[in-house]
Amino acid sequence: MCGLCGILTPDGAAAQPEFGAAVERMTALMERRGPDDAGAWLSPDGRVRFGFRRLAILDLTAAAHQPMLTADGRYAIVCNGEVYNFRDLRAELERHGCTFRSTGDTEVVLQALVTWGPQALQRFNGMFALAFYDALTKRLLLARDPVGIKPLYYLAVSDHFVFASQYDQLLAHPASRNLSVDPDGLSLYLQLGYIPAPYAALRHTSMVEPGTYVEVDDSGKAQVTRYYEFPQYVRPDLTGDDACDAVHAAVTEAVKRQMVSDVPLGTFLSGGIDSPLVAALMASAASSTVRAYTIGTLGDALDESADASRYAEELGLHHVVEHFAPARAVELLDDVVQACGEPFADYSIFPTMLVARLARREVTVMLSGDGGDELFWGYPGRFGSVVESASAFGEPLWLRSARRAATRYLGVGNTSPNLRMKSIGHWYRAKHSHVPQGWLRRMVPDLPDWPAGCTLFDYT
């Protein structure tokens, strides 16, 4: 998993012992993210400190230690994640005259940023969060992958700029003292059960948005730039079998490139569709038996272990199943709170932690189907009624009002609540809401209904 943290102080105060101790505390909070190695670095000008914890996946030698510096000491990087096309990028950089001391991806990311600047981010195919410092120009760069798989937070207050992989790390720094709750962040958390980027729980803190980078200049001023924008919807060119073949090819290639590892890997396996699909593609690409891991719940209605076992048998997987009683979840509570680092209202974290512990006995890297449901509109309970009644969103207000009246007084027509919504985005947002806006206004009248700048569900 790995994790990074650091501080920037334009006046060089980062060299003071107080801030060295703060980065040590921040780094210690990431031990569960990176049990294999730890590192720290202070820039020669005393402006920047980096901290890092490593989970070794590529290049298990000391050559891949982080923070990583160029040979001349001008550039330094800490990078969490994996860039899957690093071998292709390495070959291209070698043609530019770059030489390498390690065999992993971090040095490739470092040299790419040195060679191409922030434009290198567009070339990376992977999941990553990174901090990169140029000691000559005194500029710090923070960046996050296009999808936002790897988290990265920052705190900007007074003359201190603090950044970290976990939100609780920011709170371990003296600059976080006396910060007040951010109303927009609290409103989003109560409605969604989490806080999406760029918002955060406290004022003066933020989360780097997916597909963006933050540059902090020599005066401490930060500027946010978007380097990746997902394509807008266009009418697809592919239909039928051609579309299915294209999706199959894309998912197959994604699975293959994520199987590059210098340590044992496996997969989580449920009784659904997404993780068995990943497991099947792994099995077809692997040179040895794929290891799969499942958590069962002693045969209740939510127990998918029997279906997962049937998948495993059909695919020829080495399948490990562990059952637990729901009462055991209480025993995990303290560990879950510590692992999250910020408020998080999805109870699936409990089985996720259990299956991760189970897998860690034998492997280090896991592939999963997590995210597949969201890409294809989630579970039927969330998307079915949206798709079913989508045509009504384009109707004029007077017609929607007439439909509501007919439904109420005559008992005919579409009874879906979407008729009160302005767009599919509004309706889909309501499907994901833990606390409806009407309740929110009654419970906390001073909170905003929805932050004006939050475009998470801005689609028609």
Side-chain angles (χ1 to χ4, degrees), residues 244-269:
C244 291
D245 290 343
V247 171
H248 181 269
V251 177
T252 299
E253 182 58 32
V255 169
K256 285 182 178 179
R257 64 173 172 255
Q258 293 186 45
M259 292 177 66
V260 176
S261 173
D262 292 334
V263 293
L265 57 83
T267 181
F268 298 136
L269 184 63

Side-chain angles (χ1 to χ4, degrees), residues 300-363:
D300 64 22
L302 299 178
D303 191 351
E304 300 182 19
S305 60
D307 289 334
S309 294
R310 284 190 282 270
Y311 277 122
E313 183 178 2
E314 181 69 24
L315 297 173
L317 310 178
H318 169 80
H319 191 210
V320 180
V321 182
E322 184 173 282
H323 291 85
F324 79 103
R328 279 188 58 195
V330 178
E331 301 171 9
L332 292 173
L333 184 57
D334 290 343
D335 204 18
V336 163
V337 171
Q338 184 181 20
C340 288
E342 65 174 322
F344 183 63
D346 188 347
Y347 60 83
S348 68
I349 185 64
F350 287 89
T352 299
M353 178 170 284
L354 285 168
V355 75
R357 284 180 173 178
L358 174 64
R360 189 64 177 94
R361 299 171 190 169
E362 299 179 331
V363 300

Side-chain angles (χ1 to χ4, degrees), residues 3-7 19-31 49 51-53 153 161-166 168-174:
L4 62 90
C5 64
I7 59 172
F19 295 113
V23 172
E24 286 182 8
R25 291 194 299 272
M26 295 165 68
T27 303
L29 287 170
M30 301 186 293
E31 183 175 0
R49 279 187 186 269
F52 192 76
R53 293 289 316 198
Y153 301 89
F161 191 90
V162 187
F163 52 93
S165 293
Q166 299 173 188
D168 59 344
Q169 292 174 269
L170 301 184
L171 307 184
H173 192 278

